[in-house]
Amino acid sequence: MKKLIIYLSATETMENHALETYPEECCGFLYGTEGDVREISHAGKTKNIKSENKRKKFKIDPLEYLRAEKYAMANKLELLGIYHSHPDHPAVPSEHDRENAVGYFSYIIVSVGKNKINNIRSWQLNDQREFDEEKILESKHMKVNT
Amino acid sequence: MAKIIIPTPLRKFTNNQATLETNAHTVLEAIRELTIKYPDLKNQIIDKNGDIRKFIKIYLDDTNIKTLDQDKTEVSAGSVVSIIPAIAGGNIT
């Protein structure tokens, strides 16, 4: 199982974003450094540009994606993934998530209810285009999610 | 020379190169040049019919080439060609 450290500030950004946009899905970018353990040090919010059914779908503007790549390069970070929320639903990727996913990226899902975060889990697509869960490691910099 | 930006998920096919320079005159030439240099990248960008894959967008500077002259869009010195994976998903079962 691949391992991931998420810094507390990044976790807070994702959680606050999920609560702000509830009952619609939020989405954003994950930045950090790659190594034996992938470290997510920053989460950057972006707009869900889906024109309908934002409670169950999200889409990111390609220009915002391009800006995220440029931001990572300018700040000596790596764009390492995407986060989004599942309002009133488990932090497990759907078939729609799987069909749209790209390899290498971590896909962090925030399960959110009204005024509460249920949990956060992370997933990565394998070579068979199935999702494997990534283990979120405990760190003094991060909130532990169980 | 123009620049090509490779998105992070595809850099494993370009020996981790994030950007490349090209003398290509069109987007199609730039993509061809890129996939000749990095053959494993071809399947990630081009489908079996030779078209750009549905989940890949190509931008010239800040404009989708679909709104320009598609893959015949001209590339000039200083242009930036970006390969962008479409990012979407959600809780639809």
Side-chain angles (χ1 to χ4, degrees):
Chain A
M1 185 182 269
K2 292 184 176 170
K3 294 169 185 169
L4 196 69
I5 288 173
I6 311 172
Y7 284 71
L8 179 59
S9 58
T11 303
E12 286 176 346
T13 297
M14 292 187 282
E15 289 182 348
N16 290 337
H17 197 191
L19 291 166
E20 283 162 19
T21 59
Y22 179 90
E24 295 182 346
E25 293 197 4
C26 71
C27 50
F29 301 103
L30 303 168
Y31 306 94
T33 54
E34 180 71 333
D36 291 340
V37 177
R38 178 173 279 189
E39 294 199 14
I40 305 294
S41 54
H42 300 68
K45 296 195 279 188
T46 192
K47 195 175 170 187
N48 177 0
I49 64 159
K50 201 74 198 166
S51 56
E52 56 183 21
N53 205 7
K54 287 187 187 180
R55 288 184 179 214
K56 289 187 175 290
K57 286 185 175 180
F58 78 94
K59 184 178 176 185
I60 291 178
D61 182 342
L63 269 182
E64 289 300 318
Y65 179 89
L66 184 54
R67 288 191 189 106
E69 287 281 12
K70 289 177 177 173
Y71 174 85
M73 283 191 264
N75 289 280
K76 294 188 166 51
L77 294 167
E78 198 171 341
L79 182 60
L80 291 171
I82 302 293
Y83 74 86
H84 73 283
S85 60
H86 277 183
D88 300 319
H89 207 81
V92 176
S94 66
E95 179 60 14
H96 186 56
D97 286 326
R98 192 190 66 79
E99 286 170 355
N100 285 278
V102 292
Y104 185 76
F105 271 173
S106 291
Y107 283 84
I108 292 180
I109 302 177
V110 182
S111 173
V112 60
K114 190 177 170 85
N115 298 320
K116 67 164 187 169
I117 298 295
N118 297 321
N119 66 341
I120 292 180
R121 295 169 76 178
S122 186
W123 307 83
Q124 190 176 145
L125 207 62
N126 63 28
D127 291 339
Q128 286 73 48
R129 287 200 59 81
E130 298 294 333
F131 270 117
D132 292 330
E133 185 163 10
E134 296 179 304
K135 184 176 176 59
I136 299 177
L137 296 178
E138 187 174 353
S139 156
K140 65 180 180 180
H141 298 294
M142 65 170 284
K143 189 179 286 184
V144 178
N145 298 288
T146 55
Chain B
M1 283 189 130
K3 186 163 81 172
I4 307 176
I5 296 181
I6 310 295
T8 312
L10 299 185
R11 287 181 201 159
K12 67 178 176 180
F13 303 106
T14 61
N15 297 332
N16 288 320
Q17 292 294 308
T19 61
L20 290 113
E21 292 195 321
T22 177
N23 285 313
H25 297 102
T26 64
V27 168
L28 182 63
E29 275 183 36
I31 299 295
R32 271 195 189 140
E33 199 176 285
L34 187 63
T35 54
I36 287 169
K37 189 169 185 181
Y38 300 108
D40 292 342
L41 190 61
K42 189 172 180 180
N43 280 345
Q44 307 297 320
I45 301 176
I46 309 289
D47 67 18
K48 60 186 177 186
N49 298 319
D51 298 321
I52 305 287
R53 283 191 175 279
K54 185 181 164 191
F55 293 120
I56 293 286
K57 313 289 178 197
I58 308 287
Y59 274 59
L60 180 73
D61 299 319
D62 287 343
T63 308
N64 190 333
I65 62 164
K66 279 194 169 180
T67 66
L68 299 171
D69 201 11
Q70 306 269 14
D71 59 6
K72 295 180 189 65
T73 299
E74 287 186 14
V75 174
S76 52
S79 297
V80 178
V81 177
S82 300
I83 301 166
I84 301 175
I87 304 291
N91 176 28
I92 293 281
T93 51

